[in-house]
Amino acid sequence: MRDLVYPPVVAFAKTAFTVLDLKIRRTGTEHVPRTGGALIAINHISYVDFILGGYGALPAKRLVRFMAKEVLFRNRYSGPLMRGMHHIPVDREAGAASYQQALDHLAAGELVGVFPEATISRSFELKEFKSGTVRMAAEAGVPVLPMILWGTQRMFTKDHPRDFTRHRPISISIGAPITVTPDDDPTEATTHLRSTMSGMLDETIRSYPEQPAGAWWLPAAYGGSAPTPEEAQQLDLEELARRAAKRQ
């Protein structure tokens, strides 16, 4: 697969990271395979997660094809970039095509990035996972690599203004590959993946260099003022209702 757009975008992102002087800490990068297909499962806390998620695979000299909302591919600005980087458009009302495209990428030995929560978590804790991640890995015969991002929510997330303050710490943690087979129960495999990533998230939050009490970007369970998972779920429902009303 020819990549004429991706390398310049990566170079631009690296330059932006340097200008912002982001303190990026990557751990577990040795788990990213140098060759062959793999599915990277990432927690979702901000609009820039796909940028930092892809950065986590760069030490292995790999590019990640992300499954992303189809609307991004129709946008006049992001569309050409998303298509040029061979990301995968996801139409939630016609998901079979994107699922097959992801399988084709995996069969071709590509890394595919997915967000098992599907949408950004307002609580910054893990939401419930969709089973598509483990089903896809089992069908493609590739491992799942759990990845946790932290600090990206401080830059650009739901319900808060963008804030690209310099010198901000960002954590990228990659866990050991998880094998899923067609004989595994998808529900149990999804529960195992979520449990693994929950433990990684807890460790990542606790080791993050900044822990200000009451911070909006810190989960309530860790002394922050972010919505609880229950409150976040209610906010999500209200957002869906507003969107439905707007479509009507």
Side-chain angles (χ1 to χ4, degrees), residues 4 6 17 21 37 40 42 59 108 116 124 135 141 145 153 160 213 219 223 243:
L4 301 179
Y6 218 141
F17 296 162
D21 192 29
I40 302 181
I42 310 170
F124 309 126
R135 290 190 290 105
L145 294 179
Q153 77 276 29
H160 296 276
R243 288 182 181 179

Side-chain angles (χ1 to χ4, degrees), residues 23 25 150 169-171 204-212 217:
K23 307 301 183 182
R25 178 175 179 263
W150 194 248
I170 301 290
S171 297
T204 302
I205 293 175
R206 294 184 186 282
S207 63
Y208 192 70
E210 298 180 12
Q211 304 282 343
W217 50 265

Side-chain angles (χ1 to χ4, degrees), residues 64-182:
V64 183
R65 316 299 176 180
F66 282 93
M67 300 187 75
K69 291 180 180 179
E70 187 269 342
V71 67
L72 294 174
F73 293 77
R74 289 189 279 110
N75 182 279
R76 68 167 65 181
Y77 302 110
S78 63
L81 294 175
M82 298 297 284
R83 292 189 294 272
M85 290 186 283
H86 306 292
H87 293 316
I88 304 165
V90 177
D91 184 343
R92 291 178 184 172
E93 298 188 5
S98 58
Y99 185 89
Q100 185 57 54
Q101 188 176 351
L103 288 176
D104 292 342
H105 278 327
L106 292 169
E110 297 279 353
L111 297 182
V112 173
V114 297
F115 298 100
E117 299 164 276
T119 58
I120 289 175
S121 169
R122 284 180 159 98
S123 72
F124 309 126
E125 298 185 57
L126 296 183
K127 302 171 69 172
E128 292 303 313
F129 280 17
K130 308 296 183 183
S131 65
T133 300
V134 299
R135 290 190 290 105
M136 190 185 303
E139 187 169 348
V142 300
V144 178
L145 294 179
M147 178 186 288
I148 292 296
L149 304 177
W150 194 248
T152 59
Q153 77 276 29
R154 301 176 65 185
M155 300 170 71
F156 189 17
T157 192
K158 286 186 175 183
D159 307 326
H160 296 276
R162 304 173 193 179
D163 182 2
F164 294 99
T165 300
R166 300 183 72 237
H167 317 306
R168 181 156 288 156
I170 301 290
S171 297
I172 305 173
S173 304
I174 305 171
I178 297 173
T179 301
V180 186
T181 72

